[in-house]
């Protein structure tokens, strides 16, 4: 279960494609295996159309700015458990101080990979001292109020995954609904149009919608809408046969909604990390 330690060299004066490649390499070993580039202006246009211009993000002055949606599949679980077990087993077990250690983990891993400056560098062409594109903005899924980002909308307009209004889940063509959206990174570099994918992909599993609607009505009317097991059933309904291989492991499902450090450590000790 040892997670390899891979150095993260400066991104340097690279193209958008090389920036994305480097982020994919360094984030994936940390369990963040969804790294999807797109033009930030797609997101800003979409949230403005919702009547929420305050959700727009700064674009660094580019007409098409590189934004990167970061998320994970079931591959987050082992690196997260390993990290907790090695570095924070006692500290993060304090649920009063760390009610959601996965959020802390995500922030630490993203900061490590980006090696913040988190604000635009005060130099020519938006470069920091290492020649890396400056980070214009990073917004996390757990951000509130003026740090909020509509990641489900970003996921859809970026072309990463379909948003299914029947179950309020983004459903990926490969992973089905078994993905979690973690943050949106905006870099001070133009987006390469060759990296774009079509916005708002089609529902990859429309055959399930009728059963999903029925289940959702049941959840909302019989008092089980707060029970996590019922929402797992809804997610299972939205999972095609080909996507079942990407379903989270049982330990990840059981503890994934809170990801308490004690639970993660116990999973590792019992050999349940995978």
């Amino acid at each position: 279960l040892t997670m390899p330690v891979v150095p993260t060299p400066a991104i340097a004066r690279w193209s958008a494609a090389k920036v994305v490649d480097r982020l994919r390499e360094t984030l994936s070993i940390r369990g963040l295996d969804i790294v999807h580039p797109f033009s930030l202006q797609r997101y800003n246009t979409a949230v403005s159309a919702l009547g929420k211009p305050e959700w727009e993000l700064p674009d660094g002055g580019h007409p098409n700015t590189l934004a990167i949606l970061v998320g994970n599949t079931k591959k987050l679980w082992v690196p997260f458990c390993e990290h907790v077990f090695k570095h924070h087993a006692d500290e993060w077990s304090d649920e009063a101080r760390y009610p959601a250690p996965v959020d802390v983990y995500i922030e630490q891993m993203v900061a490590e990979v980006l090696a913040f400056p988190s604000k635009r560098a005060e130099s020519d062409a938006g470069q920091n001292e290492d020649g890396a594109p400056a980070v214009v903005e990073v917004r996390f899924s757990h951000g509130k109020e003026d740090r909020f980002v509509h990641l489900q909308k970003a996921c859809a307009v970026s072309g990463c995954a379909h948003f299914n209004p029947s179950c309020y889940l983004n459903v990926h063509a490969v992973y089905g609904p078994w993905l979690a959206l973690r943050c949106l990174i905006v870099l001070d570099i133009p987006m390469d149009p060759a990296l774009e994918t079509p916005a708002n992909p089609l529902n990859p599993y429309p055959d399930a919608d009728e059963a999903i609607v029925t289940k959702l009505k049941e959840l909302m009317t019989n008092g089980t809408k707060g029970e996590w097991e019922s929402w797992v059933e809804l997610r299972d309904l939205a999972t095609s046969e080909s996507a079942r291989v990407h379903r989270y492991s049982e330990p990840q499902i059981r503890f994934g909604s809170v990801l308490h450090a004690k639970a993660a450590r116990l999973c590792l000790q019992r050999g349940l990390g995978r």
Side-chain angles (χ1 to χ4, degrees), residues 215-237:
K215 182 64 178 179
L216 186 61
K217 287 180 180 177
E218 175 189 321
L219 291 177
M220 301 302 290
T221 58
N222 69 3
T224 61
K225 64 180 181 180
E227 297 177 9
W228 64 267
E229 296 93 340
S230 298
W231 292 98
V232 172
E233 291 178 27
L234 187 69
R235 196 174 289 250
D236 278 332
L237 286 174

PDB file of all heavy atoms in Angstrom, residues 215-237:
ATOM      1  N   LYS A 215     -37.085   5.770  -7.332  1.00  0.00           N
ATOM      2  CA  LYS A 215     -36.325   5.645  -6.093  1.00  0.00           C
ATOM      3  C   LYS A 215     -36.173   6.982  -5.394  1.00  0.00           C
ATOM      4  O   LYS A 215     -36.287   7.077  -4.157  1.00  0.00           O
ATOM      5  CB  LYS A 215     -34.949   5.047  -6.390  1.00  0.00           C
ATOM      6  CG  LYS A 215     -34.080   4.830  -5.158  1.00  0.00           C
ATOM      7  CD  LYS A 215     -34.690   3.801  -4.223  1.00  0.00           C
ATOM      8  CE  LYS A 215     -33.821   3.534  -3.030  1.00  0.00           C
ATOM      9  NZ  LYS A 215     -34.414   2.543  -2.101  1.00  0.00           N
ATOM     10  N   LEU A 216     -35.930   8.031  -6.153  1.00  0.00           N
ATOM     11  CA  LEU A 216     -35.759   9.345  -5.562  1.00  0.00           C
ATOM     12  C   LEU A 216     -37.046   9.807  -4.878  1.00  0.00           C
ATOM     13  O   LEU A 216     -37.003  10.362  -3.767  1.00  0.00           O
ATOM     14  CB  LEU A 216     -35.332  10.352  -6.630  1.00  0.00           C
ATOM     15  CG  LEU A 216     -34.981  11.751  -6.123  1.00  0.00           C
ATOM     16  CD1 LEU A 216     -33.817  11.706  -5.148  1.00  0.00           C
ATOM     17  CD2 LEU A 216     -34.661  12.682  -7.293  1.00  0.00           C
ATOM     18  N   LYS A 217     -38.194   9.562  -5.508  1.00  0.00           N
ATOM     19  CA  LYS A 217     -39.474   9.915  -4.881  1.00  0.00           C
ATOM     20  C   LYS A 217     -39.648   9.158  -3.570  1.00  0.00           C
ATOM     21  O   LYS A 217     -40.134   9.706  -2.572  1.00  0.00           O
ATOM     22  CB  LYS A 217     -40.621   9.589  -5.838  1.00  0.00           C
ATOM     23  CG  LYS A 217     -40.730  10.545  -7.018  1.00  0.00           C
ATOM     24  CD  LYS A 217     -41.895  10.153  -7.928  1.00  0.00           C
ATOM     25  CE  LYS A 217     -42.014  11.110  -9.100  1.00  0.00           C
ATOM     26  NZ  LYS A 217     -43.105  10.708 -10.031  1.00  0.00           N
ATOM     27  N   GLU A 218     -39.235   7.899  -3.579  1.00  0.00           N
ATOM     28  CA  GLU A 218     -39.317   7.086  -2.359  1.00  0.00           C
ATOM     29  C   GLU A 218     -38.452   7.678  -1.249  1.00  0.00           C
ATOM     30  O   GLU A 218     -38.878   7.801  -0.095  1.00  0.00           O
ATOM     31  CB  GLU A 218     -38.854   5.664  -2.680  1.00  0.00           C
ATOM     32  CG  GLU A 218     -38.773   4.744  -1.471  1.00  0.00           C
ATOM     33  CD  GLU A 218     -38.103   3.427  -1.831  1.00  0.00           C
ATOM     34  OE1 GLU A 218     -38.356   2.915  -2.940  1.00  0.00           O
ATOM     35  OE2 GLU A 218     -37.318   2.929  -1.004  1.00  0.00           O
ATOM     36  N   LEU A 219     -37.240   8.089  -1.608  1.00  0.00           N
ATOM     37  CA  LEU A 219     -36.328   8.666  -0.616  1.00  0.00           C
ATOM     38  C   LEU A 219     -36.879   9.955  -0.030  1.00  0.00           C
ATOM     39  O   LEU A 219     -36.707  10.232   1.160  1.00  0.00           O
ATOM     40  CB  LEU A 219     -34.969   8.948  -1.258  1.00  0.00           C
ATOM     41  CG  LEU A 219     -34.122   7.749  -1.666  1.00  0.00           C
ATOM     42  CD1 LEU A 219     -32.840   8.216  -2.344  1.00  0.00           C
ATOM     43  CD2 LEU A 219     -33.786   6.884  -0.460  1.00  0.00           C
ATOM     44  N   MET A 220     -37.527  10.736  -0.865  1.00  0.00           N
ATOM     45  CA  MET A 220     -37.994  12.048  -0.428  1.00  0.00           C
ATOM     46  C   MET A 220     -39.306  11.984   0.343  1.00  0.00           C
ATOM     47  O   MET A 220     -39.682  12.948   0.999  1.00  0.00           O
ATOM     48  CB  MET A 220     -38.169  12.967  -1.646  1.00  0.00           C
ATOM     49  CG  MET A 220     -36.899  13.163  -2.456  1.00  0.00           C
ATOM     50  SD  MET A 220     -35.514  13.831  -1.506  1.00  0.00           S
ATOM     51  CE  MET A 220     -36.061  15.502  -1.225  1.00  0.00           C
ATOM     52  N   THR A 221     -39.991  10.861   0.273  1.00  0.00           N
ATOM     53  CA  THR A 221     -41.316  10.790   0.910  1.00  0.00           C
ATOM     54  C   THR A 221     -41.404   9.844   2.100  1.00  0.00           C
ATOM     55  O   THR A 221     -42.301   9.992   2.927  1.00  0.00           O
ATOM     56  CB  THR A 221     -42.388  10.356  -0.118  1.00  0.00           C
ATOM     57  OG1 THR A 221     -42.038   9.092  -0.679  1.00  0.00           O
ATOM     58  CG2 THR A 221     -42.515  11.389  -1.220  1.00  0.00           C
ATOM     59  N   ASN A 222     -40.488   8.888   2.218  1.00  0.00           N
ATOM     60  CA  ASN A 222     -40.653   7.903   3.305  1.00  0.00           C
ATOM     61  C   ASN A 222     -39.696   8.105   4.473  1.00  0.00           C
ATOM     62  O   ASN A 222     -39.539   7.231   5.316  1.00  0.00           O
ATOM     63  CB  ASN A 222     -40.525   6.470   2.770  1.00  0.00           C
ATOM     64  CG  ASN A 222     -39.111   6.136   2.324  1.00  0.00           C
ATOM     65  OD1 ASN A 222     -38.196   6.934   2.462  1.00  0.00           O
ATOM     66  ND2 ASN A 222     -38.946   4.937   1.782  1.00  0.00           N
ATOM     67  N   GLY A 223     -39.019   9.276   4.494  1.00  0.00           N
ATOM     68  CA  GLY A 223     -38.188   9.592   5.648  1.00  0.00           C
ATOM     69  C   GLY A 223     -36.814   8.979   5.649  1.00  0.00           C
ATOM     70  O   GLY A 223     -36.124   9.021   6.669  1.00  0.00           O
ATOM     71  N   THR A 224     -36.367   8.412   4.519  1.00  0.00           N
ATOM     72  CA  THR A 224     -35.034   7.805   4.490  1.00  0.00           C
ATOM     73  C   THR A 224     -34.017   8.672   3.759  1.00  0.00           C
ATOM     74  O   THR A 224     -32.894   8.233   3.530  1.00  0.00           O
ATOM     75  CB  THR A 224     -35.079   6.429   3.793  1.00  0.00           C
ATOM     76  OG1 THR A 224     -35.514   6.604   2.448  1.00  0.00           O
ATOM     77  CG2 THR A 224     -36.015   5.489   4.520  1.00  0.00           C
ATOM     78  N   LYS A 225     -34.404   9.911   3.438  1.00  0.00           N
ATOM     79  CA  LYS A 225     -33.503  10.723   2.615  1.00  0.00           C
ATOM     80  C   LYS A 225     -32.204  11.082   3.336  1.00  0.00           C
ATOM     81  O   LYS A 225     -31.232  11.469   2.705  1.00  0.00           O
ATOM     82  CB  LYS A 225     -34.203  11.993   2.133  1.00  0.00           C
ATOM     83  CG  LYS A 225     -34.611  12.969   3.234  1.00  0.00           C
ATOM     84  CD  LYS A 225     -35.296  14.177   2.610  1.00  0.00           C
ATOM     85  CE  LYS A 225     -35.703  15.195   3.670  1.00  0.00           C
ATOM     86  NZ  LYS A 225     -36.361  16.367   3.079  1.00  0.00           N
ATOM     87  N   GLY A 226     -32.160  10.942   4.668  1.00  0.00           N
ATOM     88  CA  GLY A 226     -30.939  11.229   5.398  1.00  0.00           C
ATOM     89  C   GLY A 226     -30.072  10.013   5.623  1.00  0.00           C
ATOM     90  O   GLY A 226     -29.005  10.117   6.229  1.00  0.00           O
ATOM     91  N   GLU A 227     -30.506   8.851   5.164  1.00  0.00           N
ATOM     92  CA  GLU A 227     -29.749   7.622   5.385  1.00  0.00           C
ATOM     93  C   GLU A 227     -28.839   7.361   4.201  1.00  0.00           C
ATOM     94  O   GLU A 227     -29.291   7.197   3.067  1.00  0.00           O
ATOM     95  CB  GLU A 227     -30.712   6.450   5.589  1.00  0.00           C
ATOM     96  CG  GLU A 227     -31.590   6.624   6.826  1.00  0.00           C
ATOM     97  CD  GLU A 227     -32.601   5.502   6.978  1.00  0.00           C
ATOM     98  OE1 GLU A 227     -32.492   4.515   6.220  1.00  0.00           O
ATOM     99  OE2 GLU A 227     -33.480   5.618   7.842  1.00  0.00           O
ATOM    100  N   TRP A 228     -27.530   7.286   4.461  1.00  0.00           N
ATOM    101  CA  TRP A 228     -26.564   7.192   3.366  1.00  0.00           C
ATOM    102  C   TRP A 228     -26.737   5.915   2.550  1.00  0.00           C
ATOM    103  O   TRP A 228     -26.489   5.895   1.349  1.00  0.00           O
ATOM    104  CB  TRP A 228     -25.139   7.301   3.904  1.00  0.00           C
ATOM    105  CG  TRP A 228     -24.705   6.205   4.828  1.00  0.00           C
ATOM    106  CD1 TRP A 228     -24.782   6.213   6.193  1.00  0.00           C
ATOM    107  CD2 TRP A 228     -24.136   4.950   4.467  1.00  0.00           C
ATOM    108  NE1 TRP A 228     -24.294   5.028   6.700  1.00  0.00           N
ATOM    109  CE2 TRP A 228     -23.885   4.232   5.667  1.00  0.00           C
ATOM    110  CE3 TRP A 228     -23.800   4.348   3.244  1.00  0.00           C
ATOM    111  CZ2 TRP A 228     -23.325   2.953   5.673  1.00  0.00           C
ATOM    112  CZ3 TRP A 228     -23.239   3.072   3.257  1.00  0.00           C
ATOM    113  CH2 TRP A 228     -23.004   2.392   4.461  1.00  0.00           C
ATOM    114  N   GLU A 229     -27.208   4.825   3.195  1.00  0.00           N
ATOM    115  CA  GLU A 229     -27.388   3.572   2.456  1.00  0.00           C
ATOM    116  C   GLU A 229     -28.381   3.740   1.310  1.00  0.00           C
ATOM    117  O   GLU A 229     -28.208   3.148   0.242  1.00  0.00           O
ATOM    118  CB  GLU A 229     -27.854   2.456   3.385  1.00  0.00           C
ATOM    119  CG  GLU A 229     -26.868   2.062   4.469  1.00  0.00           C
ATOM    120  CD  GLU A 229     -27.099   2.797   5.773  1.00  0.00           C
ATOM    121  OE1 GLU A 229     -27.754   3.859   5.741  1.00  0.00           O
ATOM    122  OE2 GLU A 229     -26.610   2.320   6.811  1.00  0.00           O
ATOM    123  N   SER A 230     -29.405   4.541   1.547  1.00  0.00           N
ATOM    124  CA  SER A 230     -30.419   4.747   0.511  1.00  0.00           C
ATOM    125  C   SER A 230     -29.849   5.499  -0.680  1.00  0.00           C
ATOM    126  O   SER A 230     -30.203   5.226  -1.833  1.00  0.00           O
ATOM    127  CB  SER A 230     -31.610   5.521   1.090  1.00  0.00           C
ATOM    128  OG  SER A 230     -32.225   4.780   2.127  1.00  0.00           O
ATOM    129  N   TRP A 231     -28.933   6.418  -0.415  1.00  0.00           N
ATOM    130  CA  TRP A 231     -28.326   7.168  -1.512  1.00  0.00           C
ATOM    131  C   TRP A 231     -27.331   6.319  -2.278  1.00  0.00           C
ATOM    132  O   TRP A 231     -27.101   6.536  -3.475  1.00  0.00           O
ATOM    133  CB  TRP A 231     -27.683   8.449  -0.967  1.00  0.00           C
ATOM    134  CG  TRP A 231     -28.731   9.401  -0.483  1.00  0.00           C
ATOM    135  CD1 TRP A 231     -29.146   9.589   0.798  1.00  0.00           C
ATOM    136  CD2 TRP A 231     -29.549  10.252  -1.292  1.00  0.00           C
ATOM    137  NE1 TRP A 231     -30.157  10.515   0.847  1.00  0.00           N
ATOM    138  CE2 TRP A 231     -30.422  10.940  -0.418  1.00  0.00           C
ATOM    139  CE3 TRP A 231     -29.628  10.506  -2.663  1.00  0.00           C
ATOM    140  CZ2 TRP A 231     -31.357  11.864  -0.884  1.00  0.00           C
ATOM    141  CZ3 TRP A 231     -30.561  11.430  -3.121  1.00  0.00           C
ATOM    142  CH2 TRP A 231     -31.421  12.097  -2.233  1.00  0.00           C
ATOM    143  N   VAL A 232     -26.745   5.345  -1.612  1.00  0.00           N
ATOM    144  CA  VAL A 232     -25.896   4.390  -2.326  1.00  0.00           C
ATOM    145  C   VAL A 232     -26.747   3.578  -3.299  1.00  0.00           C
ATOM    146  O   VAL A 232     -26.347   3.311  -4.435  1.00  0.00           O
ATOM    147  CB  VAL A 232     -25.144   3.470  -1.353  1.00  0.00           C
ATOM    148  CG1 VAL A 232     -24.413   2.359  -2.103  1.00  0.00           C
ATOM    149  CG2 VAL A 232     -24.138   4.266  -0.526  1.00  0.00           C
ATOM    150  N   GLU A 233     -27.940   3.195  -2.870  1.00  0.00           N
ATOM    151  CA  GLU A 233     -28.849   2.460  -3.755  1.00  0.00           C
ATOM    152  C   GLU A 233     -29.179   3.297  -4.989  1.00  0.00           C
ATOM    153  O   GLU A 233     -29.242   2.775  -6.110  1.00  0.00           O
ATOM    154  CB  GLU A 233     -30.138   2.113  -3.010  1.00  0.00           C
ATOM    155  CG  GLU A 233     -29.973   1.082  -1.907  1.00  0.00           C
ATOM    156  CD  GLU A 233     -31.276   0.834  -1.176  1.00  0.00           C
ATOM    157  OE1 GLU A 233     -32.354   1.019  -1.788  1.00  0.00           O
ATOM    158  OE2 GLU A 233     -31.224   0.470   0.009  1.00  0.00           O
ATOM    159  N   LEU A 234     -29.378   4.584  -4.793  1.00  0.00           N
ATOM    160  CA  LEU A 234     -29.669   5.474  -5.925  1.00  0.00           C
ATOM    161  C   LEU A 234     -28.488   5.520  -6.879  1.00  0.00           C
ATOM    162  O   LEU A 234     -28.653   5.446  -8.101  1.00  0.00           O
ATOM    163  CB  LEU A 234     -30.004   6.869  -5.406  1.00  0.00           C
ATOM    164  CG  LEU A 234     -30.500   7.885  -6.444  1.00  0.00           C
ATOM    165  CD1 LEU A 234     -31.886   7.501  -6.947  1.00  0.00           C
ATOM    166  CD2 LEU A 234     -30.518   9.278  -5.853  1.00  0.00           C
ATOM    167  N   ARG A 235     -27.298   5.606  -6.321  1.00  0.00           N
ATOM    168  CA  ARG A 235     -26.094   5.635  -7.153  1.00  0.00           C
ATOM    169  C   ARG A 235     -25.934   4.319  -7.912  1.00  0.00           C
ATOM    170  O   ARG A 235     -25.529   4.298  -9.072  1.00  0.00           O
ATOM    171  CB  ARG A 235     -24.871   5.915  -6.280  1.00  0.00           C
ATOM    172  CG  ARG A 235     -23.644   6.343  -7.038  1.00  0.00           C
ATOM    173  CD  ARG A 235     -22.533   6.726  -6.074  1.00  0.00           C
ATOM    174  NE  ARG A 235     -22.795   7.962  -5.386  1.00  0.00           N
ATOM    175  CZ  ARG A 235     -22.141   9.105  -5.590  1.00  0.00           C
ATOM    176  NH1 ARG A 235     -21.171   9.147  -6.490  1.00  0.00           N
ATOM    177  NH2 ARG A 235     -22.433  10.184  -4.923  1.00  0.00           N
ATOM    178  N   ASP A 236     -26.261   3.221  -7.245  1.00  0.00           N
ATOM    179  CA  ASP A 236     -26.176   1.916  -7.911  1.00  0.00           C
ATOM    180  C   ASP A 236     -27.133   1.842  -9.099  1.00  0.00           C
ATOM    181  O   ASP A 236     -26.803   1.255 -10.137  1.00  0.00           O
ATOM    182  CB  ASP A 236     -26.490   0.793  -6.923  1.00  0.00           C
ATOM    183  CG  ASP A 236     -25.289   0.416  -6.065  1.00  0.00           C
ATOM    184  OD1 ASP A 236     -24.145   0.597  -6.525  1.00  0.00           O
ATOM    185  OD2 ASP A 236     -25.502  -0.071  -4.938  1.00  0.00           O
ATOM    186  N   LEU A 237     -28.303   2.428  -8.947  1.00  0.00           N
ATOM    187  CA  LEU A 237     -29.262   2.416 -10.051  1.00  0.00           C
ATOM    188  C   LEU A 237     -28.721   3.169 -11.266  1.00  0.00           C
ATOM    189  O   LEU A 237     -29.043   2.816 -12.407  1.00  0.00           O
ATOM    190  CB  LEU A 237     -30.590   3.044  -9.609  1.00  0.00           C
ATOM    191  CG  LEU A 237     -31.474   2.210  -8.684  1.00  0.00           C
ATOM    192  CD1 LEU A 237     -32.674   3.028  -8.231  1.00  0.00           C
ATOM    193  CD2 LEU A 237     -31.934   0.930  -9.384  1.00  0.00           C
TER     194      LEU A 237
END
